[in-house]
Amino acid sequence: MSSVIIKGLYKKYENGTVAVSNFNADISEKEFFVILGPSGCGKSTLIRMIAGLEDITEGDILINDISVHSVPPKSRGVALVLKNQTLYPNMSVYENLEFGLRLRKIPKEEIERRIEQVVGILDIGAILDRKTAALSGGQRLRIAMGRAIVQDPKVFLLDEPLLNLDAKLRALMRSELKTLHRTLGKTVIYVTHDQAEAMELGSRILVMRNGSVQQTGTYQELYDSPVNLFVAKFIGSPQMNTCEAELFSNEGRLWLRFGKGYEIALPDTPDTAGLIKYSGKKLLMGIRPTDILLVSGNEEKDHSAISMTVESVELLGTHVNLRLSGEGVGFMVSSPITTRAKAGDDLKVYLNSEKIHIFDSDSERRIN
Ligand code: ADP
């Protein structure tokens, strides 16, 4: 069942800025749905429209099948947690949790019941009497989540809640949020610019750019089959390598030519055969750093091994990233930690032709 449906949403601010445009999404009940995009792409505007803090210029949002046009913000069944969550500094944690409920004239016993439940879920019993000004970043976020949970919303709207935490705490709170989602069993719409958060938290991810939807899918779908160059480069770290390329056919096979004269045969499949119409057109070729393999010894795979030089090596805990340069082309390659290559080495690499992505340079859409 759908929890939130967004239909043809459009938002133009009074100063003429179009923040959201032709935006569609269908978010299932109990889903952890992540909206991922760079800063300024319209994520906050979108979430504020769902919450009712921002007017909708055109289009509609349905929450549990009811159009928000007819529902005031406080009756939408949503709770919003923001990146710069302001707690009332002079109130205790308990008072912060009960404040919104008292405003809504919820009976005292019900308030006590809800707070008791949240204290158990968030493990904040020891700090209930503390003033919130004295809390750590992680504790403040827990209280902000607590304030949202006591409202018993159908949908949680989280706008970059981890933005101001340090890296270690961010990782911890990510896993806490995941557990919390499982415990509560509610729909979460989570906005972030951080693909690591999106990957860990989202059951599905919607990639947004300049106010509009680029692609919606699981992390794996976005990683394996990006619809365009933007999604291809936004998802995956290190980024997908791209370079200009040209298609041509030779001896019944389709080939890509890139750099200064490198050539690679594409897989002999019906899908690939359909690409022949792009012969001679300006294209971009993309390959992920993990899909380029260093060729060891005399092993020559598919005759497509090419010579490159190591520019730099970055040692990471589990693997190494090598920056390679060749004739008119540079690639980043991720290799196992056992790789012994060092800067200045000449070596041969093999591009996995089954993992090559091809984009039309004009529309930037993926064509294979
Ligand atoms: P994000 O959350 O992805 O960083 P925002 O929704 O905050 O993006 O902003 C999207 C665009 O709308 C930006 O160009 C921003 O400058 C603009 N914008 C945001 N709020 C307002 C406003 N109140 N008035 C005019 N323009 C705004």
Side-chain angles (χ1 to χ4, degrees), residues 183-308:
T183 310
L184 298 171
K186 295 287 177 70
T187 310
V188 175
I189 304 179
Y190 186 99
V191 155
T192 183
H193 68 278
D194 179 346
Q195 61 153 319
E197 273 177 32
M199 175 172 65
E200 184 169 345
L201 293 169
S203 49
R204 281 189 308 153
I205 301 166
L206 179 154
V207 180
M208 187 173 180
R209 178 198 195 189
N210 293 339
S212 55
V213 180
Q214 302 292 293
Q215 188 172 3
T216 306
T218 62
Y219 184 85
Q220 202 63 45
E221 285 164 355
L222 301 176
Y223 184 88
D224 291 338
S225 313
V227 294
N228 61 23
L229 189 65
F230 179 79
V231 176
K233 297 211 103 171
F234 203 68
I235 298 283
S237 176
Q239 258 189 8
M240 182 186 283
N241 297 293
T242 52
C243 62
E244 288 183 1
E246 198 187 347
L247 260 179
F248 65 98
S249 56
N250 187 20
E251 293 176 0
R253 293 281 294 269
L254 274 180
W255 294 68
L256 275 178
R257 185 181 293 127
F258 60 96
K260 289 190 181 146
Y262 293 124
E263 291 175 355
I264 179 171
L266 293 176
D268 198 3
T269 64
D271 282 353
T272 306
L275 293 175
I276 194 152
K277 60 177 179 282
Y278 292 96
S279 299
K281 269 197 83 178
K282 255 178 63 184
L283 300 171
L284 288 170
M285 159 183 137
I287 184 153
R288 296 211 179 268
T290 43
D291 295 327
I292 303 178
L293 308 175
L294 305 192
V295 178
S296 55
N298 300 323
E299 172 189 4
E300 286 266 340
K301 291 196 178 171
D302 208 13
H303 307 297
S304 57
I306 63 174
S307 301
M308 299 193 87

Side-chain angles (χ1 to χ4, degrees), residues 109-125:
E109 303 75 52
E110 173 65 10
I111 295 181
E112 282 170 4
R113 190 191 67 75
R114 288 195 195 176
I115 294 183
E116 194 184 316
Q117 198 182 20
V118 158
V119 167
I121 294 172
L122 295 173
D123 192 20
I124 50 173

